[in-house]
Amino acid sequence: MTLHVNTTDLRGQDFLTLADLSPGQLRCLLDRASQLKALQANGQPHQLLAGLSLAMLFEKASLRTRTTFMVGMSQLGGFAVDLMNEHTQIGVRESIPDIARNLERWVDALMARVYAHRTLEELAAWADIPVINGLSDLTHPCQALADVLTMREHRGGLAGRKLAYVGDGFNVCNSLLFAGALAGMHVRVAAPEGYEPDEDILERAQEIADDAGGGIEIGNDPQAAVRDAEVVYTDAWVSMGLEHEAAERREIFAPFRVDDCMMALADSDAIFMHCLPAHRGEEVTDAVLDGPRSVVFDQAENRLHTQKALLVAIMRGDAAFDELGA
């Protein structure tokens, strides 16, 4: 199962990477997330997933992903089943095909937070229900949805905006490239040599950017990337599963730390973003993370609202939003 860009309706489709969305689908999800956010803020019920259920598979620890999917399903009137890794031991206690074929008989959708992206692809190949990428070693599309909603809230329209990502060209960076390209943004990535984004990701992101009127630049100079940027973004230098590289990475990435001096190079109204958890004093200083430009907790909140829009879109489709007058 894959997303089809020739329709705005995502019902029944997998969500493994933002690259499978069209610019119109991205805008629609953001609009619906804003609508659901407003309803929640006003205390208006919107139980669009009443009677439906979501299974959540976790190979990696989680605060934001676990909480926002569980709370989101509850607010939408549905139910989430938390399948921690000790209960499933994906591919060890039970094969991936067997896990998928069991879950499709019980629940309406599956979210998985895994180490290897191929695990998601195998789950999607075997499960006859939508599969959502809660994070993999290749992409983190749910985070990127929240990121671009936050950018839109703080900076207005996204097209033409300058986004600078400084740090490890890993999964968060990969999804930002797709999201920025779909939104028509100009995305600059600065990473140490040898830590640039995946080449296949770059090629696909550039294709999307060319079609959407955006741009992508990849380099190794963090100051050049941040100069005049309207959004400055970084992520942890040592992702889960790479702890054995921690000491080496801290030395290599030290020039990429975002501090007040680096933020001073950005646009005077630039915002600072981080997907969290942050390693204070490593990739970002306390002064920046807790400073007036930081919107990191707005990002964290928006995981809830964008994922709710996504859940409704893939579990019930466009028709569900008609109930809200949208």
Side-chain angles (χ1 to χ4, degrees):
M1 294 163 58
T2 57
L3 294 174
H4 301 293
V5 299
N6 60 343
T7 176
T8 59
D9 199 324
L10 302 179
R11 183 177 183 183
Q13 305 302 314
D14 298 320
F15 184 71
L16 304 188
T17 168
L18 281 166
D20 291 325
L21 291 180
S22 69
Q25 287 171 327
L26 176 62
R27 287 192 299 271
C28 189
L29 282 173
L30 298 182
D31 289 345
R32 288 167 172 170
S34 295
Q35 182 182 19
L36 293 175
K37 183 175 183 177
L39 291 173
Q40 184 65 31
N42 293 330
Q44 296 176 250
H46 46 282
Q47 298 196 336
L48 303 180
L49 297 184
L52 299 182
S53 56
L54 172 74
M56 306 189 304
L57 283 172
F58 290 95
E59 285 188 316
K60 287 189 171 186
S62 171
L63 172 66
R64 280 152 294 277
T65 299
R66 173 177 273 111
T67 304
T68 53
F69 270 108
M70 289 192 74
V71 172
M73 282 298 293
S74 177
Q75 291 177 356
L76 290 166
F79 180 77
V81 182
D82 188 350
L83 298 171
M84 294 176 287
N85 191 42
E86 56 262 37
H87 297 309
T88 52
Q89 299 177 39
I90 300 172
V92 178
R93 181 175 180 271
E94 197 160 0
S95 72
I96 293 173
D98 284 355
I99 291 172
R101 288 183 291 185
N102 273 275
L103 289 174
E104 72 177 10
R105 302 295 183 99
W106 303 325
V107 300
D108 302 288
L110 165 64
M111 185 282 296
R113 181 177 171 91
V114 301
Y115 284 100
H117 192 77
R118 63 179 177 273
T119 299
L120 287 167
E121 293 174 332
E122 192 169 358
L123 285 168
W126 284 96
D128 194 26
I129 54 174
V131 175
I132 298 170
N133 179 355
L135 177 139
S136 74
D137 61 351
L138 187 64
T139 60
H140 196 357
C142 289
Q143 179 64 52
L145 281 179
D147 294 339
V148 289
L149 177 63
T150 307
M151 292 176 204
R152 193 172 76 167
E153 290 175 343
H154 284 272
R155 297 309 309 257
L158 297 175
R161 297 289 185 187
K162 300 173 185 175
L163 163 63
Y165 177 90
V166 177
D168 191 9
F170 199 49
N171 48 14
V172 169
C173 178
N174 289 340
S175 285
L176 277 176
L177 284 167
F178 287 148
L182 285 167
M185 300 179 74
H186 296 286
V187 185
R188 303 177 194 150
V189 174
E193 187 173 353
Y195 294 88
E196 297 90 349
D198 180 88
E199 285 293 335
D200 291 336
I201 295 282
L202 280 175
E203 183 178 350
R204 180 68 182 119
Q206 188 62 63
E207 292 173 355
I208 296 170
D210 290 343
D211 290 339
I216 292 174
E217 299 177 39
I218 307 296
N220 307 113
D221 184 344
Q223 285 78 24
V226 168
R227 191 166 287 112
D228 299 323
E230 295 162 282
V231 180
V232 178
Y233 199 122
T234 194
D235 188 14
W237 295 341
V238 185
S239 297
M240 285 182 284
L242 300 176
E243 290 81 3
H244 61 287
E245 301 178 10
E248 180 182 13
R249 280 174 170 266
R250 289 188 184 106
E251 181 177 350
I252 292 172
F253 280 86
F256 292 78
R257 178 178 295 112
V258 179
D259 55 17
D260 285 333
C261 291
M262 189 173 291
M263 286 300 297
L265 298 172
D267 182 81
S268 59
D269 292 325
I271 57 175
F272 171 75
M273 304 184 76
H274 191 304
C275 62
L276 301 179
H279 297 80
R280 292 169 176 267
E282 290 189 11
E283 71 271 10
V284 61
T285 61
D286 284 347
V288 172
L289 190 67
D290 297 324
R293 294 184 175 194
S294 176
V295 298
V296 298
F297 297 110
D298 291 344
Q299 290 174 259
E301 178 188 344
N302 281 336
R303 287 288 301 275
L304 173 65
H305 308 301
T306 50
Q307 288 165 191
K308 284 168 66 177
L310 175 66
L311 287 166
V312 175
I314 68 170
M315 294 174 77
R316 288 201 55 204
D318 289 344
F321 291 93
D322 293 340
E323 299 173 22
L324 302 175

